[in-house]
Amino acid sequence: MIMIIIFPLLFSLFLLPLLFLLIARRKAPERLPPGSLGIPFIGQSFSLLWAMRANTAEKWMADRARKYGPVSKLSLFGKPTVFIYGQAANRFVFSTDSSKMSNQQTDSVRMILGDRCLLELVGEDHQRIRSALASFLKPDSLKNYVGKMEEEVRMHLQMHWHGQTNVTVMPLMKKLTFNIICSLLFGVERGARRDMFVLYFQEMIDGMWSIPVDLPFTRFNRSLKASVKVQKMLKDLIYEKRAQLASGAPSHQDLITCLLSIRGEGDQQLVSDDEIIHNVMLIMVAGHDTSSVLITFMVRVLANDPDIYAAVLREQEEIKKSVSTGDFLTWEDLGKMKYTWRVAMETLRAFPPLFGGFRKTLEDIEYQGYLIPKGWQIFWVTGMTHMDDSIFPEASKFDPARFENPASVPPYCYIPFGGGARICPGYEFAKIETLVTIHYLVTRFTWKLCCNDNCFRRDPMPVPTRGLPIQIFPKKLL
């Protein structure tokens, strides 16, 4: 009886991927890129993950590039994969027709976030969902939510910063960005439900970059279970929001009500409940991690560079003078934070939150003389162009002046939010919450680092040593 249960499990988890890789090897044409697929199913997955957590991932990729060149094959997360890098590679990834290459992620990401999110969809479905999300995330809509975002920042600082002498920045920024997401995307106020969201959400993202072995002791299994709980909570929210809309509630009070309100022919709901759930989960992950990492590393940059700190402070103090006591920042105020945003852009170049991503070939594709077979993954890495001295002179130097004229940066070289038609639709959302948060931090506090170790590890997002503990000194509020 036990063998009847265990054998199908072993077959699905190990033997099928092994068979797939053996077939791939047997049928491998001579024009496959150089490299090795490694141990079946596991391949180079553990090696890459260990390098990311040891802060040596960039060296890991650079060593591979020196050995095999700009195109090489390997196996990651159970799938044969081709690694490509450089400006031409980025252009290839972000501009290839979606009928030839899909934005499909690893099995672990797809199983946790769902198969109806923007990362998975192609063609008309991708355009339909992207347009629906843009109706809430475009600047014309987001300018109506600046005050609500600012309320969350003020409350966060009052609860977690004021009265403290030492704080740890990374976990606090994760708390802040998640609270902003709960408020603006879900319409969930502070309380037990929001606390449960935080708990399940953190468990869910912990195993997104992992080998998809669904056994009780694995990180992936814990993430899958948490994903089910998050989806159940979102289903309950959709039910409540639909009832509120039926009672005359505003259609744009949060992202869920906005998506529920989009109607097609015959007044049919244009975005299905599953699509709402999967895309809200995607934005939860993207909005939570990207912004919290960006703000955390900006805090570290400002602590390490007095000149940059002074320039940001001057800009923010000038804006503060024009805002009456108790009033909120305006959309026009955010537009004046040009230098602060250049610092943010340089931070994203030097410490991109997203290490890289995956595509899936839908047919045999030729790239730089090599054949990438149908069904293989394509793996691209953000930092390979960000730290290229031929693109960004003295790339290891932190210099916000690089972005005084963003048009001078060659296309498909600066890609913290992707590029082309698939650039992240949450770009403006991240920009607003970053600028609002930095405004309040620099006008209310000064700080110094408690840990001078400027290293970080990736898990898979960059995390500074010890979460960036700092000593804070409140400024006297006028």
Side-chain angles (χ1 to χ4, degrees):
M1 181 65 181
I2 293 176
M3 290 304 297
I4 292 175
I5 297 173
I6 290 179
F7 183 77
L9 179 63
L10 291 175
F11 184 79
S12 63
L13 289 178
F14 299 104
L15 298 184
L16 271 180
L18 173 59
L19 181 61
F20 182 77
L21 288 175
L22 288 174
I23 292 173
R25 284 187 171 90
R26 182 177 298 176
K27 294 184 176 181
E30 294 181 359
R31 290 194 298 130
L32 274 182
S36 168
L37 295 178
I39 301 171
F41 189 65
I42 295 174
Q44 290 80 9
S45 303
F46 286 137
S47 177
L48 174 60
L49 290 173
W50 284 331
M52 291 174 70
R53 289 165 190 164
N55 194 31
T56 58
E58 283 75 11
K59 181 180 183 300
W60 193 93
M61 304 309 304
D63 288 346
R64 166 167 283 274
R66 278 192 293 271
K67 184 175 182 179
Y68 297 114
V71 188
S72 62
K73 69 176 182 287
L74 68 165
S75 175
L76 291 175
F77 310 114
K79 294 281 186 68
T81 304
V82 172
F83 164 58
I84 60 177
Y85 74 91
Q87 181 184 16
N90 294 342
R91 184 188 301 274
F92 175 67
V93 164
F94 294 121
S95 64
T96 296
D97 191 294
S98 60
S99 66
K100 298 179 180 179
M101 185 194 305
S102 76
N103 200 25
Q104 183 170 305
Q105 299 301 294
T106 63
D107 286 346
S108 57
V109 172
R110 184 172 65 256
M111 293 169 71
I112 290 168
L113 292 185
D115 59 6
R116 298 301 298 173
C117 74
L118 205 60
L119 291 179
E120 299 294 324
L121 300 175
V122 297
E124 292 182 0
D125 281 343
H126 178 270
Q127 186 57 46
R128 173 175 55 85
I129 298 300
R130 187 180 180 87
S131 296
L133 294 173
S135 68
F136 183 86
L137 295 171
K138 63 184 179 183
D140 285 347
S141 297
L142 287 176
K143 66 173 60 175
N144 299 318
Y145 300 99
V146 173
K148 200 170 184 181
M149 199 176 289
E150 195 171 349
E151 276 185 9
E152 288 289 343
V153 174
R154 289 180 177 182
M155 189 176 300
H156 171 84
L157 294 179
Q158 186 62 44
M159 291 177 63
H160 302 289
W161 291 65
H162 288 291
Q164 303 297 317
T165 55
N166 294 80
V167 298
T168 305
V169 180
M170 176 66 92
L172 286 181
M173 288 304 102
K174 286 183 176 291
K175 185 185 292 289
L176 170 61
T177 56
F178 193 82
N179 281 332
I180 290 173
I181 287 170
C182 282
S183 178
L184 269 70
L185 302 191
F186 309 156
V188 176
E189 300 305 322
R190 292 175 182 272
R193 174 182 271 184
R194 188 184 284 196
D195 293 342
M196 291 303 293
F197 258 124
V198 172
L199 176 64
Y200 295 147
F201 173 73
Q202 194 58 56
E203 290 178 355
M204 183 184 83
I205 64 174
D206 280 347
M208 286 183 57
W209 272 43
S210 60
I211 295 175
V213 177
D214 189 10
L215 294 175
F217 56 84
T218 63
R219 182 187 250 191
F220 177 67
N221 174 266
R222 292 191 296 271
S223 292
L224 276 181
K225 289 181 177 178
S227 174
V228 171
K229 293 173 183 176
V230 170
Q231 292 184 58
K232 171 63 167 61
M233 295 181 76
L234 290 174
K235 286 179 183 177
D236 293 342
L237 264 180
I238 288 174
Y239 178 82
E240 294 171 16
K241 301 294 183 183
R242 186 175 282 121
Q244 292 172 12
L245 286 170
S247 301
S251 61
H252 275 64
Q253 60 183 347
D254 54 60
L255 177 63
I256 292 178
T257 54
C258 175
L259 295 178
L260 284 171
S261 302
I262 300 174
R263 318 303 290 187
E265 293 183 8
D267 199 37
Q268 293 294 312
Q269 184 175 315
L270 193 63
V271 184
S272 71
D273 286 4
D274 279 348
E275 288 169 340
I276 292 175
I277 290 169
H278 294 176
N279 284 284
V280 165
M281 290 170 67
L282 169 63
I283 293 176
M284 285 168 66
V285 173
H288 173 263
D289 275 336
T290 301
S291 298
S292 61
V293 167
L294 171 56
I295 297 168
T296 298
F297 278 85
M298 284 185 73
V299 168
R300 192 172 81 172
V301 164
L302 296 177
N304 282 328
D305 195 316
D307 292 337
I308 293 177
Y309 172 82
V312 169
L313 181 60
R314 279 195 301 272
E315 181 174 81
Q316 297 301 334
E317 290 285 7
E318 282 299 312
I319 292 168
K320 183 182 176 183
K321 290 177 184 177
S322 66
V323 179
S324 300
T325 303
D327 285 353
F328 290 105
L329 294 166
T330 65
W331 187 255
E332 289 69 30
D333 291 329
L334 298 180
K336 297 174 185 175
M337 300 181 186
K338 299 186 186 308
Y339 182 78
T340 305
W341 187 241
R342 288 202 292 272
V343 175
M345 293 180 73
E346 178 70 345
T347 303
L348 287 168
R349 183 193 69 83
F351 312 103
L354 184 65
F355 180 73
F358 293 88
R359 296 291 190 270
K360 178 184 177 181
T361 56
L362 302 178
E363 59 181 53
D364 289 353
I365 296 179
E366 186 166 312
Y367 177 71
Q368 294 195 0
Y370 295 109
L371 183 71
I372 306 177
K374 176 182 178 181
W376 281 39
Q377 291 181 147
I378 295 176
F379 179 47
W380 55 273
V381 176
T382 308
M384 299 294 279
T385 51
H386 285 197
M387 300 307 293
D388 187 332
D389 286 322
S390 67
I391 299 170
F392 296 100
E394 296 183 87
S396 60
K397 178 183 176 182
F398 193 94
D399 183 11
R402 300 180 198 277
F403 295 99
E404 287 180 355
N405 178 18
S408 66
V409 178
Y412 296 102
C413 291
Y414 180 71
I415 53 170
F417 292 96
R422 287 185 177 270
I423 194 167
C424 175
Y427 170 82
E428 290 291 341
F429 185 93
K431 182 177 181 178
I432 295 169
E433 64 180 339
T434 299
L435 292 176
V436 170
T437 303
I438 293 297
H439 171 80
Y440 276 96
L441 286 178
V442 300
T443 57
R444 292 193 176 188
F445 299 94
T446 58
W447 58 86
K448 66 179 183 180
L449 302 179
C450 296
C451 175
N452 292 321
D453 181 352
N454 279 325
C455 294
F456 64 92
R457 61 183 175 85
R458 285 189 174 272
D459 196 22
M461 297 285 179
V463 180
T465 303
R466 291 166 46 195
L468 197 65
I470 60 173
Q471 185 178 5
I472 58 174
F473 309 91
K475 294 180 177 180
K476 184 177 180 180
L477 297 179
L478 300 178

